[in-house]
Amino acid sequence: MSDTLNPAQQEAVTYLDGPCLVIAGAGSGKTRVITRKIAHLIAGGVNPRAIAAITFTNKAAQEMAERLKHQVKLPEGNRPVVCTFHSLGVQMLREDGAALGLKKSFSILDSDDVASILAQLTGATDRKTVRATQGVISLWKNAGIDPDHAGAAARDNDEHAAARVYRDYCATLTGYQAVDFDDLIGLPLAMLRAHPEVADRWQNRLRYLLVDEYQDTNATQYELLKRLAGPRAAFTAVGDDDQSIYGWRGATLENLKRLSTDYPKLRVIKLEQNYRSSRNILAAANHLIAHNPKLHDKRLWSELGVGDPVRVVAMDDDEVEAESIAMRLQAHRFERRGKFSDYAVLYRGNHQARIIEQALRKERIPYVLSGGQSWFERAEIRDVIAWLRLLANDDDDPAFIRAITTPRRGVGPQTLQALGTYAGERQVSLFAALFETGVESRLAARQLEPLREFGEFVNRIGWRAKKDPPGEVLEEILRAVGYHEYLLSTMEEKQASQRWQSVTDFVAWIAKRGEEDNKTLLDLAQTIALLSRLDGNEADHDAVRLTTVHAAKGLEFAHVFVVGCEEGLMPHSGDQKGEAPEAEEDGPQRVEEERRLMYVAVTRAQRTLTISWCRQRKRAKNVVSRLPSRFIAEMKLDAEGGAAAVVSADSAKQRLAALKGLLKPG
């Protein structure tokens, strides 16, 4: 993309006369527009610290901050605020959360902690039931529904059960001085509503707001932004109604509609020139999305040339599909002298990755997996994070229990149960309870000794965590608790070695973050749950990217394979391994969201796009017949691909062998 802005981009950058909505089509240069607008505001005399650019992921925030650094040279203490919604929420609560009764060192609970609390409150042992309750409560929080109104919002017996536990769950978090991920939006909103003086201070502090991926906002995020913008309404929202794919977690297109109602003077600017994809790829995307109703009609166009035709490949089954992709990819890369990182394989659900991984490994094709288990979800990393959370907030009972029992420090379940009963009666945390004189009547001296020894160690290390380099302090904790020895004594040597390597990598990562951001271990500990949820960075390897379409949002690749384009998978029928809700569950709206998901998949491709579907697919021990996705016909493509397009795995293998043969010396 040249440095010159096109007319629509120029209008979006320079318009400052009121609220502005930029409808930014896929690949239309929205990040460039946002960073150029920030530079334009600063050049016009706006204090850089009074500008906030809000994104959905750390990765997007880092990319934006990096681009901005090249455009505007500013000292570190006088740069615009570029952060995620949740990071902004943390900052607001750390500074003003006392208005809601929160102490500065509150804990941010991760998904597993929340599940543990809900399992205790419901008495449920079935993980699926607990996760379902967790999902319902999360949706209610995102929609701004509090425990008082949850009963009326419940649609079935399961949701009524969730409504009954919702109030106890909120009370438990308050007792722990903890918040969950959804609270990082809901609580700042509640704070601005209840305390006008706090709202006034934040409105005057952040005088111009720029919001990325606006179509992904939920009801509470919309209200929070509205409160922050205040009567001045100095903001630019950037989004694309055709890329709204997070309805299942509370995002709503109603927010784009509400903007026009709430702000009658809203200026709408459309970015329709695409700088990413060839015309053939854009034609397929435009045909597809034309089947959805439009909030703001637009049609992507490109000056990048016609490009290769979009291929549709019909496969006999999923094994053939995986094998064929591996062969085609290898042959194509060999022909083009390309890099593995130019290629991506996109799928609807994580369960589709395994068979593709096997095919790539068989051909020795390097790959990285996105949208699967995060580094932060590994048991050994969660063990270390428990210590960080306890240092940040010694009222964090789940972190206390994990830290004192992994490895065990002479404290058994009966001791913890007695301590917990006493703490519950006294309405204090487990950590506070172990230092009270009253606990001595409940626990024998031999039980109390290791507890207090543990507490004193936490206090000592907590003092160091406020001043010493983060990596050194974390190494000291692991050495003192004997974590490496614990791994060696509880599992096979190879597994212990792998887990210890994972822990040492984590320590190095913490040390690096501390050095780069000039943070202590205590500073990092207070935001660790947030980092683990929002850091989406993969290692920069020359490797094929395997990813769900949801995780591919915002990315682009020269060559894209979209697999499993069948009815029941794309659009999703909800009967696969717990991905998103049923496509037909809410009628046409769900199919429209699935269509937008396919649109996102198609518009990740720059030069070539291959779409595959299987006539039959294995489900558990059964083989199920499949039909091509309706989206293939909607893109005006032939589901059977035509004779020339159908290339079997064997013929792809022969083609690759022939290409290699040409390079052999005669």
Side-chain angles (χ1 to χ4, degrees), residues 188 254 349:
E254 287 299 313

Side-chain angles (χ1 to χ4, degrees), residues 354-542:
R354 185 186 56 81
I355 196 165
I356 297 165
E357 284 188 79
Q358 288 172 347
L360 295 183
R361 279 203 299 267
K362 185 179 170 188
E363 295 304 317
R364 296 195 173 96
I365 296 172
Y367 66 88
V368 291
L369 198 62
S370 303
Q373 189 191 37
S374 157
W375 185 38
F376 292 89
E377 290 168 356
R378 296 175 188 172
E380 63 274 19
I381 302 302
R382 288 175 52 73
D383 289 341
V384 181
I385 286 174
W387 275 93
L388 298 185
R389 284 175 34 208
L390 189 59
L391 292 174
N393 173 17
D394 54 30
D395 288 338
D396 188 338
D397 284 356
F400 175 92
I401 292 166
R402 189 161 190 145
I404 204 167
T405 58
T406 317
R408 286 204 177 275
R409 301 173 65 81
V411 178
Q414 286 181 320
T415 300
L416 283 174
Q417 192 174 352
L419 181 67
T421 303
Y422 174 80
E425 290 169 6
R426 294 277 299 129
Q427 292 291 296
V428 295
S429 68
L430 295 172
F431 189 83
L434 68 87
F435 288 110
E436 290 197 353
T437 52
V439 78
E440 293 167 10
S441 65
R442 304 293 184 88
L443 292 167
R446 61 179 173 74
Q447 291 176 297
L448 199 50
E449 187 183 344
L451 280 172
R452 287 187 168 164
E453 191 180 305
F454 173 79
E456 284 158 7
F457 174 70
V458 171
N459 285 334
R460 282 198 309 275
I461 211 78
W463 181 76
R464 287 193 57 196
K466 293 175 185 175
K467 60 184 187 66
D468 291 351
E472 287 179 22
V473 182
L474 201 47
E475 282 175 0
E476 170 60 24
I477 292 170
L478 294 168
R479 200 162 40 245
V481 303
Y483 192 76
H484 190 200
E485 292 78 3
Y486 157 74
L487 291 176
L488 290 168
S489 66
T490 54
M491 56 193 68
E492 291 181 8
E493 189 179 345
K494 185 179 178 184
Q495 189 184 15
S497 174
Q498 288 170 340
R499 290 201 176 188
W500 180 244
Q501 183 59 54
S502 180
V503 168
T504 54
D505 289 345
F506 180 74
V507 173
W509 180 80
I510 284 284
K512 187 180 177 193
R513 277 204 88 111
E515 193 177 328
E516 288 177 352
D517 301 342
N518 194 27
K519 302 272 188 180
T520 66
L521 187 61
L522 190 62
D523 295 330
L524 294 171
Q526 289 175 343
T527 54
I528 195 72
L530 193 63
L531 294 171
S532 68
R533 277 293 294 268
L534 294 173
D535 259 3
N537 297 330
E538 271 87 18
D540 189 19
H541 299 307
D542 182 23

Side-chain angles (χ1 to χ4, degrees), residues 106-123:
F106 63 83
S107 297
I108 304 169
L109 300 187
D110 66 21
S111 180
D112 280 359
D113 295 320
V114 171
S116 297
I117 291 169
L118 288 172
Q120 288 168 11
L121 292 173
T122 58

